[in-house]
Amino acid sequence: MEATITKTNPLGTERVGKLMMRYAVPSIISIVVNSLYNMVDQVFIGQGVKATFIHYYLSNVVLALGFMFGDGAAAFMSLHLGKKEPEKAAKGIGNMVAIVIGTGIVLMILFELFLTPLCRLFGATDNVLPYALDYGRIIVLGFPFSIICSAFGSPIRADGRPKISMVGLLIGCATNMILDPIFIFVCGWGVKGAAWATILGQVLNALYFIMCLFQFKTIKIKKEYFIPDIKVVGNIASLGTSSLISQIASVFVIAIMNNMLVKYGAVSKYGADIPLAALGVTMKVSQLITGVTLGIASGVQPILGYNYGSRQHDRVKSTLKWSLILGTAIMFAALFIFQVFPEQIIGIFGQESDLYVEFAVKCFRIYLLACFMIPSGAVVGIFFQAIGKPIPAAALTLSRQIILLIPAMLILGYTMGVEGILWAGPFSDALSGIIALITVKVFWKRIFENKGQKETAGR
């Protein structure tokens, strides 16, 4: 079958506000549900909670590559559909599928072989290591399915089916939530049961996405499109670079942060394990909330890409503006919750000791103090990615995670001890958000200076 557009794409004609609601809400639910996968395990397994934190960071490597190929393919697809080039869009999706599946298998083998040193790298202490290995030897088997779950959702959204993408993740999370208590308590499998529940959820999610692969509305995929083309794969990877950097940088930062928490925590009254677990809970909860903001940004990516490709620049500007406003407002509300109700949030994950609660409260009130600036960096970064400008997108991602956060942790950790690591969070969030807004202002005229652009009512 030929790769042709089957009907008029609403991304270029439907009211922007309605499109944002249609795409952003399922995307928000998808990202929040994805964050729940490992969090569900932590609620149930109690003493093994630190082990899941270790593999949460390890799994981010898999998610990073999945997001790179998935988000890159979605941007590639949207831009070419906007240019009325459906065959190129279809070839990009076929190439993405082949690369994602191959990458998942390779990662499963490598991580299984080097699991022990990797657990040590991400901060597993002698007390935590046995739990981390029990959980990890099983969870790694699900990486080929996990990468499919993280990659396939974005192209499905770009095809105009955001609800379908959401349903896949809901299937996986529901399976995990149902099987967790059964495997952990009824079967008595402990952390191993939590791992098996997670994998089975990912398997069902992946199978659902694979079925959806053959039901695209805007393109038709030929068999030959599954043969990787170096140029196409390169373009997809380039467009998805900021997604890769965001996840990989997060893993790199966490590796440094965890080891610093253990080092400075050991010479404080909290000890080595409390800071590791407390900040782990804080970051998981914050990711759940910031997932709303990231869901908005990811959800509007097809709208931005399609309309930029078709040169309907007023629709691009309107989408960007409202994404920033909504994301920032949501994170101000989150800031209020983090500052006023930290103990109630911590209680969901169990209260191991008074010292643990004390440090966890500090984590919420200090580390997340400037979380309202996160949407600026996230939305602007995905904006650049969506319009086919990966270099500024990648640079903005690097500014928060690598250029600002790591030096701040090293300096403040050295001068203030374990609490200094917490203060590095608001410093990098605030400054990176400001840099993002300045960057988009500097590039604004250059982005929209293309001749022949069409201006239409996008409100």
Side-chain angles (χ1 to χ4, degrees):
M1 290 184 291
E2 295 296 321
T4 57
I5 297 179
T6 58
K7 63 178 182 179
T8 302
N9 198 317
L11 289 171
T13 57
E14 198 167 281
R15 187 167 58 88
V16 166
K18 185 177 179 180
L19 277 175
M20 286 184 63
M21 182 66 68
R22 177 184 169 191
Y23 278 79
V25 171
S27 180
I28 289 168
I29 295 173
S30 297
I31 290 179
V32 170
V33 166
N34 197 47
S35 299
L36 283 172
Y37 264 124
N38 288 334
M39 188 177 291
V40 168
D41 292 343
Q42 292 157 19
V43 171
F44 285 113
I45 64 178
Q47 291 300 321
V49 66
K50 300 182 186 71
T52 66
F53 285 139
I54 298 299
H55 290 289
Y56 162 71
Y57 305 130
L58 189 60
S59 296
N60 268 350
V61 175
V62 181
L63 295 178
L65 292 169
F67 287 143
M68 178 184 74
F69 291 120
D71 291 348
F76 184 89
M77 176 181 174
S78 296
L79 285 167
H80 283 290
L81 287 177
K83 295 176 182 178
K84 311 302 181 186
E85 298 173 341
E87 289 192 7
K88 289 184 178 180
K91 189 173 184 179
I93 299 302
N95 274 234
M96 181 272 296
V97 171
I99 293 298
V100 163
I101 293 175
T103 301
I105 294 171
V106 170
L107 289 177
M108 177 187 68
I109 295 171
L110 289 176
F111 284 5
E112 195 73 55
L113 291 174
F114 300 102
L115 187 60
T116 299
L118 286 170
C119 288
R120 289 293 192 188
L121 175 65
F122 290 105
T125 62
D126 290 337
N127 293 331
V128 173
L129 186 61
Y131 293 102
L133 292 177
D134 283 346
Y135 186 81
R137 289 193 179 100
I138 299 170
I139 210 72
V140 166
L141 297 176
F143 282 176
F145 304 101
S146 176
I147 196 171
I148 289 175
C149 297
S150 62
F152 284 19
S154 291
I156 292 172
R157 284 196 299 272
D159 185 53
R161 297 180 292 161
K163 291 182 180 178
I164 297 297
S165 176
M166 174 189 70
V167 168
L169 288 169
L170 286 176
I171 290 172
C173 187
T175 301
N176 189 19
M177 292 179 70
I178 293 169
L179 294 181
D180 252 335
I182 296 174
F183 288 174
I184 293 171
F185 302 120
V186 178
C187 299
W189 295 347
V191 293
K192 293 181 180 180
W196 282 116
T198 299
I199 287 180
L200 289 175
Q202 291 170 346
V203 169
L204 291 179
N205 184 175
L207 291 176
Y208 179 80
F209 277 169
I210 290 171
M211 288 190 295
C212 294
L213 182 70
F214 300 98
Q215 299 173 5
F216 275 93
K217 298 190 300 181
T218 55
I219 60 174
K220 297 295 181 182
I221 303 178
K222 300 177 181 179
K223 292 181 180 179
E224 56 264 34
Y225 293 164
F226 292 105
I227 301 174
D229 181 306
I230 294 178
K231 184 177 180 180
V232 173
V233 172
N235 286 335
I236 290 172
S238 173
L239 289 171
T241 297
S242 63
S243 296
L244 172 72
I245 291 175
S246 178
Q247 292 293 322
I248 290 294
S250 175
V251 173
F252 184 59
V253 166
I254 292 302
I256 294 175
M257 181 182 292
N258 283 359
N259 282 282
M260 290 182 68
L261 287 169
V262 171
K263 175 184 176 181
Y264 291 112
V267 295
S268 73
K269 65 178 181 179
Y270 302 108
D273 287 344
I274 284 178
L276 182 66
L279 190 56
V281 168
T282 304
M283 296 185 72
K284 292 284 279 188
V285 173
S286 69
Q287 186 187 47
L288 194 63
I289 302 299
T290 55
V292 177
T293 295
L294 295 176
I296 293 172
S298 297
V300 301
Q301 185 184 53
I303 307 172
L304 293 167
Y306 184 93
N307 286 287
Y308 190 77
S310 61
R311 295 182 178 179
Q312 298 186 76
H313 290 169
D314 63 320
R315 293 172 64 83
V316 177
K317 295 173 184 177
S318 179
T319 304
L320 175 63
K321 179 185 73 174
W322 284 108
S323 298
L324 284 169
I325 291 172
L326 288 174
T328 303
I330 288 168
M331 290 312 296
F332 265 116
L335 175 64
F336 175 80
I337 294 172
F338 294 150
Q339 294 297 315
V340 177
F341 303 109
E343 291 191 34
Q344 288 83 350
I345 299 172
I346 296 162
I348 297 173
F349 300 90
Q351 299 185 5
E352 299 182 11
S353 67
D354 290 340
L355 278 177
Y356 171 83
V357 174
E358 178 185 326
F359 191 82
V361 168
K362 289 183 178 182
C363 288
F364 275 93
R365 288 180 172 163
I366 297 175
Y367 191 78
L368 302 176
L369 189 59
C371 65
F372 60 91
M373 291 299 294
I374 292 176
S376 299
V379 172
V380 171
I382 287 183
F383 163 70
F384 279 115
Q385 183 184 58
I387 64 174
K389 300 186 183 299
I391 294 178
L396 289 175
T397 301
L398 281 172
S399 70
R400 178 188 182 272
Q401 300 277 42
I402 303 298
I403 299 173
L404 297 174
L405 183 55
I406 291 179
M409 285 194 301
L410 293 172
I411 295 172
L412 296 177
Y414 179 78
T415 57
M416 300 173 61
V418 70
E419 289 187 21
I421 300 171
L422 304 183
W423 282 106
F427 170 81
S428 61
D429 286 342
L431 194 52
S432 62
I434 293 170
I435 291 172
L437 295 175
I438 293 173
T439 301
V440 77
K441 183 175 177 61
V442 169
F443 280 89
W444 191 256
K445 289 185 178 179
R446 194 181 309 175
I447 291 170
F448 298 110
E449 69 182 358
N450 294 344
K451 294 181 180 180
Q453 70 185 60
K454 296 187 291 183
E455 295 292 337
T456 59
R459 296 170 180 79

